[in-house]
């Protein structure tokens, strides 16, 4: 809860960063919204967007506790953020959403290698974790991971909570050949 009568401090942003790092659901309320005039409100909204740009998943509400304005909507967002953080997602639905996302936009190649996303499942709650399995997933770019996060967030309505997407690559059984329980050294020509 922020105070609209005061400027946003670095400590507020630091605390919000701590909350995000811990993976907790978050709704931000800016109280005393009835005090500033329209120019100050505009400036304060720009300041909130600038200092809290990393909280793109959180909903922001501008409220007045004294006049009971916006409190109901704020509390509905709190309930929705909790529900999103504790959501149980089915493996077939997650996999279908992932496959549709890959069909719309394939992961970019890194040299001759294109990552292959096979299936996905939920790996945890609070925050929701989606684990993607496939081949060469260590070559998935950060921008493509953000793309998938956005697709999952929209498909499953995961507003108000951070979402983590993890990639697990299958091992290649032919990468290190073994003979009778001992590793065979590869020779180069």
């Amino acid at each position: 809860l922020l105070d609209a009568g005061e400027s946003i401090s670095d400590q507020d942003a630091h605390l919000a960063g701590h909350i995000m790092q811990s993976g907790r659901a978050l709704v931000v309320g800016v109280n005393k919204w009835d005090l500033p005039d329209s120019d100050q409100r505009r400036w304060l909204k720009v300041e909130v967007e600038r200092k809290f740009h990393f909280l793109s998943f959180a909903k922001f509400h501008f409220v007045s506790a004294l006049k009971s304005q916006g409190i109901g909507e704020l509390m509905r967002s709190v309930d929705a953020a909790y529900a999103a953080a504790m959501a149980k997602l089915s493996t077939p639905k997650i996999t279908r959403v992932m496959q549709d996302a890959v069909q719309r936009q394939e992961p970019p190649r890194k040299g001759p290698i294109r990552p292959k996303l096979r299936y996905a499942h939920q790996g945890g709650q609070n925050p929701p974790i989606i684990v993607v399995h496939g081949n060469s997933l260590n070559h998935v770019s950060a921008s493509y991971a953000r793309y998938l996060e956005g697709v999952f967030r929209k498909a499953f309505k995961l507003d108000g909570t951070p979402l983590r997407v993890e990639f697990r690559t299958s091992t290649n059984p032919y990468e290190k050949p073994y003979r009778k329980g001992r590793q065979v050294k590869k020779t180069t020509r």
Side-chain angles (χ1 to χ4, degrees):
L1 190 62
L2 303 172
D3 189 340
E6 299 176 12
S7 64
I8 299 166
S9 68
D10 289 337
Q11 185 177 1
D12 293 330
H14 183 72
L15 182 61
H18 238 350
I19 293 168
M20 190 185 92
Q21 289 292 328
S22 67
R24 298 297 159 231
L26 179 66
V27 176
V28 179
V30 182
N31 192 20
K32 299 183 183 176
W33 196 241
D34 54 327
L35 295 181
D37 63 19
S38 63
D39 288 337
Q40 290 172 326
R41 285 182 185 182
R42 235 176 311 184
W43 178 83
L44 192 59
K45 281 186 177 183
V46 168
E47 192 70 6
V48 165
E49 287 178 19
R50 186 179 69 79
K51 290 233 177 163
F52 298 111
H53 63 90
F54 56 93
L55 296 177
S56 60
F57 64 88
K59 288 202 174 186
F60 286 81
H61 293 277
F62 300 91
V63 301
S64 172
L66 182 66
K67 295 184 178 181
S68 298
Q69 293 174 338
I71 303 298
E73 189 176 326
L74 174 83
M75 295 311 292
R76 283 189 289 280
S77 288
V78 168
D79 290 339
Y82 176 77
M86 302 306 284
K88 292 184 180 178
L89 311 172
S90 77
T91 299
K93 287 182 183 177
I94 296 172
T95 300
R96 226 172 295 124
V97 167
M98 181 199 68
Q99 289 170 342
D100 289 345
V102 169
Q103 194 172 30
R104 280 192 307 271
Q105 177 69 44
E106 286 189 352
R109 290 182 181 271
K110 187 168 185 178
I113 300 169
R114 182 184 302 275
K116 302 264 192 268
L117 287 67
R118 302 288 185 211
Y119 70 97
H121 64 87
Q122 186 171 8
Q125 296 172 304
N126 200 16
I129 299 170
I130 294 179
V131 181
V132 177
H133 295 268
N135 298 338
S136 302
L137 297 184
N138 52 331
H139 297 290
V140 172
S141 66
S143 61
Y144 195 78
R146 284 191 303 273
Y147 162 72
L148 285 178
E149 180 183 335
V151 168
F152 289 133
R153 183 177 300 286
K154 186 177 178 182
F156 296 107
K157 297 180 176 88
L158 298 174
D159 292 328
T161 185
L163 172 64
R164 296 188 178 148
V165 179
E166 296 178 2
F167 297 95
R168 298 206 182 139
T169 299
S170 303
T171 58
N172 184 347
Y174 301 106
E175 191 171 43
K176 292 184 180 178
Y178 289 90
R179 187 181 323 152
K180 294 186 183 177
R182 291 206 251 158
Q183 185 175 356
V184 176
K185 292 183 181 179
K186 291 184 179 180
T187 58
T188 57
R189 292 183 189 218

